[in-house]
Amino acid sequence: MYTTYDIFEEVLDLRNIIDRFFNEVPYQRRRVDYPFVNLYERGDELEVRVMAPGVRPESLNLQLIDDSLIIEGEKKEDYADKPYIRRERAFGNFQKAVKLPFRVNPDSIKAIMRDGILTVKLARSEEAKPRKIEIK
Amino acid sequence: MATDVRKTDKDLYKRDEIAINPPVDIYETDDEYVLKTDIPGVTRESLAIMLKDNELEISGSVDENLRGHENRTYAEYTLHDYLRRFTVGDGVDGAGITAKLENGVLTLVLPKSDRVKPRKIEIKVEA
């Protein structure tokens, strides 16, 4: 089977690359405060997954204010007093408010830190659940 | 055949197959090199450290549950597998490498081979 070189196909590839550049904007190119956060929703359950490698649970502070989750903490530098060959990792204090899609039950919050990822599990509060209104 | 080549070429752009270069700190003491790298999402089981032909390779894969897009409604990051290679020369004692994974931070201690360790030079004073 022969396939001939088609310059227009290359042009279309280039267009796809450019389209991807503008459509799939990765987090690096957006202005987003540290730490980076993903939200997962399933029914009345909500999961906030925070990427926070090197942050110890004891230097993290979580707070629920209204329908926002406040993540506050410090990634403590672990520098040794030695000559460095490479220094690429970043450290510092951070504070971030994550607006939740609905009000949550404050008693239901569970937070686990595992492998550098903080997972906060929340459940929708009773008041935020849809209610059927009887029509008389 | 030609179409096959073109297909693999296109696969290079597939995001799912990308491995990320994690940020690394390396410092040196008299006896060892210490390497620290941030690899969130990697467990002890999914981490592989290889020293072969003077090349150190750190690779870690992230569990599908963490990488998946299922039920995700908002995203500021996506996790990918990690891969980083270093040329270490023959200055590292491969058998003595120790690794510790804690809170998504990998600490590798690479002991220097005797050949490159600093040696104190005795100075004899002649009477």
Side-chain angles (χ1 to χ4, degrees):
Chain A
M1 194 180 82
Y2 274 96
T3 322
T4 47
Y5 179 75
D6 182 358
I7 192 166
F8 290 104
E9 207 168 305
E10 298 287 305
V11 172
L12 289 180
D13 275 356
L14 180 65
R15 194 184 68 176
N16 288 339
I17 292 166
I18 292 166
D19 279 354
R20 197 153 36 217
F21 181 88
F22 287 107
N23 292 334
E24 299 176 17
V25 186
Y27 63 90
Q28 290 101 330
R29 264 186 258 130
R30 250 187 277 145
R31 263 191 68 97
V32 176
D33 288 335
Y34 187 89
F36 300 132
V37 162
N38 280 6
L39 290 187
Y40 300 81
E41 229 180 294
R42 207 177 64 199
D44 290 336
E45 285 163 38
L46 179 69
E47 217 176 280
V48 182
R49 288 189 206 152
V50 187
M51 185 161 71
V55 180
R56 293 180 176 280
E58 55 270 23
S59 56
L60 250 179
N61 195 6
L62 287 176
Q63 232 184 323
L64 186 75
I65 299 178
D66 211 12
D67 60 349
S68 290
L69 181 71
I70 317 290
I71 305 159
E72 215 178 333
E74 187 190 0
K75 183 175 174 185
K76 288 205 178 78
E77 51 115 321
D78 50 15
Y79 289 138
D81 188 20
K82 296 282 182 223
Y84 269 79
I85 299 166
R86 249 167 227 273
R87 208 184 272 215
E88 301 167 352
R89 295 160 67 228
F91 302 94
N93 290 304
F94 53 84
Q95 188 184 34
K96 175 164 179 159
V98 182
K99 184 133 166 58
L100 305 174
F102 44 73
R103 278 175 189 279
V104 294
N105 180 358
D107 302 324
S108 72
I109 303 175
K110 281 193 197 98
I112 311 159
M113 188 80 182
R114 189 183 293 148
D115 301 323
I117 291 172
L118 169 75
T119 305
V120 188
K121 289 186 176 173
L122 312 113
R124 196 191 293 262
S125 73
E126 285 304 318
E127 300 92 74
K129 282 183 186 168
R131 216 164 305 183
K132 200 175 172 183
I133 295 151
E134 292 286 332
I135 301 160
K136 282 179 187 160
Chain B
M1 193 41 200
T3 45
D4 281 353
V5 171
R6 181 153 295 163
K7 195 163 161 282
T8 50
D9 221 27
K10 272 183 185 153
D11 286 345
L12 286 177
Y13 299 108
K14 269 198 184 164
R15 295 188 155 269
D16 291 344
E17 289 158 23
I18 291 174
I20 278 182
N21 270 344
V24 166
D25 287 350
I26 306 173
Y27 65 87
E28 188 179 353
T29 71
D30 285 347
D31 303 318
E32 58 204 19
Y33 298 101
V34 180
L35 183 154
K36 282 175 191 248
T37 178
D38 290 346
I39 44 171
V42 175
T43 60
R44 193 186 288 238
E45 296 77 35
S46 62
L47 178 69
I49 301 152
M50 294 252 287
L51 183 69
K52 206 175 99 187
D53 300 336
N54 295 337
E55 196 181 62
L56 176 76
E57 185 185 282
I58 303 164
S59 65
S61 57
V62 177
D63 190 69
E64 194 56 44
N65 286 334
L66 280 174
R67 273 196 335 198
H69 303 177
E70 207 189 336
N71 299 323
R72 195 173 73 186
T73 51
Y74 171 74
E76 290 174 353
Y77 66 86
T78 40
L79 291 173
H80 295 286
D81 293 346
Y82 300 91
L83 179 70
R84 189 106 191 221
R85 290 195 188 100
F86 296 97
T87 307
V88 292
D90 53 1
V92 165
D93 169 23
I97 297 176
T98 53
K100 190 177 79 177
L101 184 63
E102 195 182 22
N103 267 330
V105 180
L106 169 72
T107 306
L108 268 186
V109 179
L110 311 147
K112 289 183 182 175
S113 58
D114 289 335
R115 204 178 56 74
V116 293
K117 272 187 194 164
R119 218 163 301 182
K120 202 176 175 190
I121 296 152
E122 294 287 328
I123 301 162
K124 281 179 192 158
V125 183
E126 284 183 34

